[in-house]
Amino acid sequence: MSREQILLWASEKMYPVDALEHEFRPYLEVYPVAKPSGAVIICPGGAYTHRANHEGGPVAERFNQLGLTAFVLQYRVAPYRHPAQLFDAARAIRIVRCRAAEWQVKADKIAILGFSAGGHFSAHIGVSFPQVPDDPEYPVSCRPDAIIPCYAVINTHMGSFNNLLGEGHDPERRKALMPDCNVHADVPPAFLWHTFEDQGVPISNAFDFGSALRRVGVPFELHVFPKGGHGIGLAPGNTASIWPELCANWLRTMGW
């Protein structure tokens, strides 16, 4: 099914500007519902090398079934480096907020959800939005109203950080991109889920982020499922497959 695609940046306005041989133009795919609702912006994972298809469109369609407008964010990955991804997230939130009436979206109910490295992406904009410059084309806040990191990279998985910062990067630069090390009281509420068996990104990532949120008084919901490895997306055939319903119910308690 063909979906409306919204380019984040005109090619001459890429921010930051990257002179790469194979330029990628990030975009949003729109999955609307026929009633007013909150929105979920979905960021597939892929260790900042690619964007996993099974963590994009199928997840958006599932949230449509649950009554929520969804967007899939096709953001920049390696060889693009930080802060390209952070600015893609901020621009996506601002576009949805500015065009909310067009899609019957509640402009103050915009969540960002991501898997694995996309989970890092969603948590990172949740803690780092105050650092993003104003955007004269979309002069609204880029603060998400909720963040949903799913089996997210928070402070482990060196491969993702190498792809984001480059190999041999300064450990202090990496620490500055670890969401658990940079939380503050204005971080939006969070919904976290992980599996006990995840060996790709250990469950300690979810615990560390949740503990950091608790220390600054940010509310969160955390679910740990006993079975399932890494990268399971909608988790078909797994007890974790109830996570979209749990997440939608959590969002509804906040007005989505």
Side-chain angles (χ1 to χ4, degrees):
M1 181 178 179
S2 178
R3 297 284 177 181
E4 181 183 9
Q5 295 183 357
I6 310 295
L7 285 175
L8 297 192
W9 315 93
S11 58
E12 70 275 11
K13 294 182 179 178
M14 295 288 281
Y15 187 41
V17 174
D18 293 280
L20 295 179
E21 181 179 355
H22 302 291
E23 181 179 281
F24 173 77
R25 299 180 68 185
Y27 61 94
L28 278 171
E29 295 174 310
V30 185
Y31 290 74
V33 294
K35 64 174 185 177
S37 75
V40 179
I41 299 171
I42 297 162
C43 308
Y48 287 116
T49 64
H50 65 284
R51 295 161 298 276
N53 289 334
H54 74 288
E55 294 171 343
V59 179
E61 291 171 351
R62 185 72 191 97
F63 275 91
N64 281 173
Q65 294 167 5
L66 293 166
L68 298 174
T69 292
F71 301 83
V72 176
L73 176 53
Q74 302 291 355
Y75 57 96
R76 285 174 282 181
V77 297
Y80 292 98
R81 305 298 190 196
H82 172 77
Q85 299 79 8
L86 180 64
F87 288 123
D88 287 350
R91 173 59 74 104
I93 293 166
R94 285 168 164 157
I95 288 173
V96 174
R97 186 157 282 142
C98 277
R99 298 178 60 177
E102 177 182 341
W103 295 307
Q104 299 190 80
V105 164
K106 300 174 184 178
D108 62 345
K109 302 298 177 187
I110 299 171
I112 188 163
L113 177 156
F115 299 89
S116 190
H120 173 266
F121 189 55
S122 63
H124 184 45
I125 186 66
V127 303
S128 301
F129 67 89
Q131 303 167 20
V132 179
D134 293 338
D135 187 336
E137 191 170 354
Y138 294 99
V140 293
S141 172
C142 66
R143 178 187 183 271
D145 301 297
I147 56 175
I148 306 168
C150 308
Y151 47 83
V153 173
I154 297 296
N155 53 26
T156 68
H157 202 264
M158 188 59 68
S160 292
F161 286 107
N162 283 341
N163 291 326
L164 193 58
L165 294 170
E167 293 191 19
H169 59 264
D170 183 344
E172 288 303 308
R173 289 191 68 209
R174 181 170 71 249
K175 185 174 180 180
L177 300 188
M178 291 179 177
D180 61 319
C181 295
N182 296 282
V183 296
H184 49 87
D186 200 29
V187 173
F191 179 96
L192 315 171
W193 72 273
H194 220 105
T195 68
F196 179 77
E197 293 181 336
D198 192 334
Q199 298 299 309
V201 176
I203 196 173
S204 60
N205 284 260
F207 293 155
D208 289 346
F209 192 41
S211 295
L213 294 173
R214 184 177 181 274
R215 283 196 296 272
V216 297
V218 173
F220 68 94
E221 185 166 319
L222 169 60
H223 293 270
V224 177
F225 299 99
K227 299 293 182 181
H230 191 67
I232 58 178
L234 289 172
N238 188 295
T239 56
S241 64
I242 63 170
W243 78 261
E245 288 80 3
L246 295 171
C247 182
N249 289 339
W250 176 77
L251 289 170
R252 289 189 191 104
T253 66
M254 298 183 293
W256 262 253

